C-alpha cells in the first residue's frame, strides 16, 4: 500500500431515528455517499493517491453528512452522494476544496 496524498473520513455513525443528535447514516445518506466516493475512486483508479475510510461520529451531527479530508483538515458538511464526483475531481485530484460544502470555522 502506498502512502496516500489525501485521506477521506466519511462519518457513517448510525443512531436510532428518535435520537436528539441524529446521525449521518441515519437519514442523511452517508452510506450512499461513501459508496459514491468509493465508486469514483474505482473509476479514477485512485487507490495509490486517495484513502477513503468510514468513521464514527465526527462531532457536528446537525450538519451531516460530514466528511473530513486530510492533510488539509477540511470539514465538509451537508454532503450527499451527488457531491462525490465534484469532491473527487476538485479536491482529491486538484487540491481545490469545494467551497460551497466547506463547514465554517464555527463548526469546529
Ligand atoms: S453522526 Fe456524523 S458527525 Fe455525528
Amino acid at each position: 500500500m502506498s502512502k496516500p496524498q489525501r485521506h477521506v473520513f466519511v462519518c457513517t455513525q448510525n443512531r436510532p431515528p428518535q435520537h436528539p443528535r441524529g446521525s449521518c447514516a441515519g437519514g442523511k445518506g452517508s452510506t450512499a455517499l461513501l459508496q459514491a466516493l468509493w465508486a469514483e475512486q474505482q473509476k479514477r483508479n485512485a487507490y495509490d493517491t486517495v484513502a477513503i475510510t468510514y468513521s464514527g461520529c465526527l462531532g457536528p451531527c446537525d450538519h451531516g453528512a460530514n466528511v473530513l479530508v486530510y492533510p488539509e483538515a477540511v470539514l465538509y458538511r451537508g454532503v450527499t452522494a451527488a457531491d462525490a464526483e465534484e469532491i473527487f475531481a476538485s479536491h482529491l485530484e486538484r487540491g481545490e476544496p469545494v467551497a460551497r460544502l466547506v463547514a465554517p470555522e464555527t463548526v469546529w
Side-chain angles (χ1 to χ4, degrees):
M1 176 180 166
S2 302
K3 182 178 179 181
Q5 296 171 0
R6 293 194 168 80
H7 200 146
V8 182
F9 296 90
V10 180
C11 175
T12 55
Q13 180 78 45
N14 201 350
R15 296 188 178 101
Q18 307 308 324
H19 194 284
R21 292 182 67 186
S23 61
C24 291
K28 295 180 181 174
S30 70
T31 303
L33 166 61
L34 180 63
Q35 295 294 331
L37 285 167
W38 276 335
E40 285 297 321
Q41 183 181 36
Q42 182 174 17
K43 186 170 83 178
R44 297 161 189 270
N45 193 25
Y47 295 105
D48 288 343
T49 56
V50 177
I52 302 172
T53 305
Y54 55 84
S55 82
C57 180
L58 295 171
C61 315
D62 292 348
H63 303 277
N66 294 307
V67 175
L68 190 54
V69 180
Y70 282 102
E72 296 92 350
V74 169
L75 177 65
Y76 290 114
R77 67 174 183 176
V79 185
T80 71
D83 301 314
E85 184 174 12
E86 185 178 5
I87 288 173
F88 229 105
S90 181
H91 189 163
L92 304 181
E93 290 189 339
R94 296 196 310 270
E96 300 168 8
V98 180
R100 67 183 178 81
L101 296 172
V102 175
E105 288 296 315
T106 53
V107 169
W108 287 94

